[in-house]
Amino acid sequence: MRLAQGLLILTLLSQCSFGPALATAVRPGTTEQLINAYAPRDATCPTVPLVRPATNISTLENQYINARKTKANAALAAWLKKVNAGFSTSILPVLGLTHSGGGYRALLNAAGNMQAMDSRDSNSSIGGLYQAITYQTALSGGAWFLSSLAASNWATVSLLQKTIYDSTIPAGLLFPVEPNVFSIVPNYAQIVADIGAKQAAGSPVTLVDVYGRLLGYNLFNSSDGGVDHTMSGLTSMSNFSSHSVPYPILTSIGTDSNSTCTVSLNATQFEFSPYEFGSWDSGTNAFVQTAYLSSNLTNGMAISKKCTTGLDNLGFITGTSSDFFAGACDSQFVPTGMLNALAAALQSVVVKAAGTGGDELLATYRNPFYGSSHSPLVSHSEDLYLADGGASFQIQPIWPLIQPLRNVSVLIVGDCYGNTSSYYPGNISISYTYAQAQANNLVKMPFIPTSAVFIAQNLTSRTQFFGCDEPDTVTIVWLPLVPYIKTASNVDWYDLQVSEDDIASVITNGNLVATQGNDEEWPLCLACAFMKKTGPILPSGCVACFTKYCYAPTA
């Protein structure tokens, strides 16, 4: 019912006129008119180059990681000693945490996974591990969670649930109801004005702009849907500036066209972080400063020495990472009637707000690598067209963390995706990641069996450790979605609303996945997985843990 109502309101709005004044509307909580915060703004270009080749991590990321690692090491050492005093803490691994795609199911299970690891919010046996994480990556539904978390200055999951999720998610994705404010129609009208202001400033707009603004009202604790939240602006958050949280990365997939329905398995993997946007892949092999994303650049230089800011809107980037509209004509994943109706409704708003054709399915960015010799695959294109981070069947954002220059040792991979009838993991996307890593000579990725082997050996029924006996790869702690709470833990990824009771159930199930149902042996086994690559001495109990969890390929 909510979906139908939302589609109706969007369609009616596309037929109404709101006048140009909304481009400078008085936003809630303000007393004066402001230039529309969604529109790009001219800015002075920095003196340092905007674009660099991907020969290393950036100086700013390196500085952040070095400072973060000091705090992460202290937290990990304390947790290890709590688990078993026999662990040596002289050499500690770099830990990464990933959140898969899967709509609200992914958002809520990711929230539960993290809550179990967060010492601020849990007394579980793995409480304190979140404080030991150095990198945190997400895509699609997982990106909904990570963006919401970061925009709230990395608040606890309990606070996010109380102040945002319990209010907005039951209302539905198409209902821009910010917490404790009931102004649905004015918010819809403001979204139309936002899109129009961006287009009037000369920037391309697509249905992802409308979708991203709706996500802002759903995910951010802000009366204006977080219209002024930017990816680069996360650097000003106190928990980020104090290096108290993992370095966040969202992923997306590149394609050659803005009207495609399919994305190739070897499509370019792009990543967004507070400091940079770009790709390690050979066809792009470059990064641009996130704050100046979509500035008009040629060969890394600003045209007329003018730069643009504001186009790294966090809702738009989150919408980019979760842009499943490229599959609007592919019935393999979702009911096409629902998705096509949603795409049509969002397109109608684009037509009204911007006067464009409105048939664009993908997020469009001015190409910062235009004319760049470092980026032969994309250097000829004036625009980049980006889709859902899982569009190439890699539903877990592992790619950024198997880049050798990041030196990650262990990945905790929360997997909420599956295409079986029960929507628990069946078609194992990390198998695709392994195949593509092999093709791109990314030797940090451990061996992963095919989906057929996963199913034949019933590997999806519990956690697996991959890479235990491969000294040069990362160790992957794979946490598949297991139904500890059977009634609600696998809400369909295309569900656009979830009840308050089910929100609580899915988050609780995510806690249980992270603790393996509060298994008393799990903390030791998890610690053994962390330290096998770096610890010179392991407690004797690790032998049984490796026997139970480490995947060993059969001859």
Side-chain angles (χ1 to χ4, degrees):
M1 180 63 70
R2 284 284 190 174
L3 172 59
Q5 292 172 343
L7 291 173
L8 176 62
I9 293 174
L10 282 171
T11 301
L12 291 174
L13 276 174
S14 71
Q15 301 171 11
C16 297
S17 176
F18 301 101
L22 271 175
T24 55
V26 176
R27 291 190 177 277
T30 68
T31 58
E32 60 182 11
Q33 286 189 334
L34 303 173
I35 295 174
N36 190 291
Y38 193 70
R41 296 173 291 281
D42 291 337
T44 302
C45 295
T47 57
V48 297
L50 292 175
V51 177
R52 67 173 186 86
T55 55
N56 210 330
I57 63 173
S58 72
T59 299
L60 289 175
E61 180 182 338
N62 186 58
Q63 291 172 351
Y64 187 91
I65 294 304
N66 286 339
R68 173 61 188 159
K69 194 67 169 61
T70 299
K71 293 191 172 186
N73 280 351
L76 181 56
W79 182 78
L80 289 169
K81 290 299 185 184
K82 183 174 68 174
V83 171
N84 189 305
F87 283 108
S88 169
T89 57
S90 59
I91 303 176
L92 292 169
V94 175
L95 305 183
L97 174 64
T98 78
H99 304 300
S100 77
Y104 280 135
R105 179 179 75 244
L107 182 158
L108 297 170
N109 272 287
N113 290 169
M114 181 187 137
Q115 185 176 54
M117 301 178 194
D118 189 352
S119 62
R120 303 171 302 167
D121 205 22
S122 174
N123 293 318
S124 81
S125 60
I126 61 171
L129 274 186
Y130 184 68
Q131 283 65 35
I133 302 294
T134 297
Y135 283 100
Q136 187 172 10
T137 64
L139 63 80
S140 202
W144 292 2
F145 169 66
L146 183 52
S147 293
S148 179
L149 175 72
S152 296
N153 193 23
W154 284 266
T156 63
V157 168
S158 293
L159 185 61
L160 292 175
Q161 182 180 353
K162 178 180 179 181
T163 60
I164 303 176
Y165 302 156
D166 283 347
S167 300
T168 62
I169 295 178
L173 176 62
L174 296 186
F175 272 63
V177 181
E178 66 275 9
N180 304 315
V181 177
F182 300 95
S183 53
I184 295 174
V185 172
N187 287 342
Y188 274 126
Q190 186 59 61
I191 289 172
V192 173
D194 292 340
I195 307 311
K198 180 177 177 180
Q199 194 274 341
S203 294
V205 297
T206 71
L207 60 80
V208 181
D209 287 277
V210 186
Y211 170 55
R213 291 297 294 120
L214 288 168
L215 286 176
Y217 283 96
N218 240 241
L219 303 176
F220 307 146
N221 191 6
S222 176
S223 60
D224 57 9
V227 71
D228 59 350
H229 290 351
T230 60
M231 176 64 80
S232 58
L234 296 179
T235 60
S236 65
M237 296 288 185
S238 61
N239 273 324
F240 186 92
S241 61
S242 63
H243 311 102
S244 299
V245 292
Y247 189 75
I249 299 173
L250 305 184
T251 67
S252 184
I253 296 297
T255 185
D256 293 333
S257 168
N258 207 341
S259 59
T260 185
C261 287
T262 59
V263 178
S264 64
L265 295 181
N266 63 347
T268 302
Q269 294 260 353
F270 286 95
E271 60 180 59
F272 297 88
S273 77
Y275 292 131
E276 290 192 316
F277 161 80
S279 176
W280 299 95
D281 292 5
S282 59
T284 302
N285 193 43
F287 287 88
V288 64
Q289 294 181 44
T290 303
Y292 300 97
L293 178 62
S294 283
S295 290
N296 194 2
L297 307 177
T298 296
N299 197 23
M301 303 297 294
I303 302 300
S304 302
K305 298 183 179 180
K306 292 183 179 180
C307 286
T308 303
T309 61
L311 288 173
D312 61 324
N313 176 274
L314 188 59
F316 182 57
I317 289 175
T318 305
T320 301
S321 180
S322 58
D323 174 22
F324 48 78
F325 296 106
C329 56
D330 189 343
S331 61
Q332 178 181 355
F333 303 107
V334 296
T336 54
M338 181 281 296
L339 186 54
N340 284 331
L342 177 56
L346 299 185
Q347 287 168 347
S348 69
V349 175
V350 174
V351 171
K352 178 61 185 178
T356 68
D359 59 349
E360 296 86 354
L361 296 171
L362 306 180
T364 301
Y365 295 79
R366 283 202 184 107
N367 180 11
F369 314 116
Y370 180 73
S372 172
S373 59
H374 302 294
S375 309
L377 182 65
V378 297
S379 63
H380 62 284
S381 176
E382 293 185 359
D383 293 316
L384 292 180
Y385 306 114
L386 305 184
D388 190 297
S392 64
F393 289 95
Q394 296 186 50
I395 317 296
Q396 286 74 37
I398 293 172
W399 202 257
L401 302 185
I402 56 174
Q403 302 300 324
L405 293 168
R406 286 203 166 111
N407 198 34
V408 175
S409 308
V410 180
L411 294 179
I412 303 172
V413 176
D415 190 343
C416 293
Y417 184 80
N419 68 351
T420 63
S421 58
S422 63
Y423 284 88
Y424 294 112
N427 197 352
I428 311 305
S429 72
I430 55 173
S431 298
Y432 291 100
T433 302
Y434 172 70
Q436 290 305 312
Q438 289 286 294
N440 287 271
N441 198 33
L442 286 174
V443 296
K444 293 277 286 184
M445 183 71 185
F447 174 78
I448 305 292
T450 64
S451 294
V453 172
F454 266 91
I455 295 170
Q457 297 183 7
N458 196 28
L459 300 179
T460 62
S461 63
R462 62 178 177 85
T463 286
Q464 307 286 331
F465 297 164
F466 297 103
C468 290
D469 297 316
E470 300 175 62
D472 297 325
T473 73
V474 301
T475 295
I476 288 181
V477 176
W478 185 62
L479 297 176
L481 174 55
V482 175
Y484 290 96
I485 298 176
K486 298 181 183 298
T487 56
S489 55
N490 66 330
V491 294
D492 290 336
W493 76 263
Y494 54 83
D495 281 351
L496 299 184
Q497 63 185 121
V498 180
S499 72
E500 189 171 337
D501 287 343
D502 284 351
I503 289 170
S505 293
V506 179
I507 291 176
T508 298
N509 195 80
N511 270 262
L512 293 170
V513 168
T515 61
Q516 297 294 283
N518 295 315
D519 184 348
E520 293 182 357
E521 296 179 354
W522 174 242
L524 174 63
C525 291
L526 191 56
C528 294
F530 291 167
M531 299 304 295
K532 184 171 173 55
K533 297 279 174 68
T534 58
I537 301 174
L538 296 178
S540 58
C542 286
V543 175
C545 289
F546 295 144
T547 299
K548 181 176 181 179
Y549 288 106
C550 285
Y551 176 76
T554 56

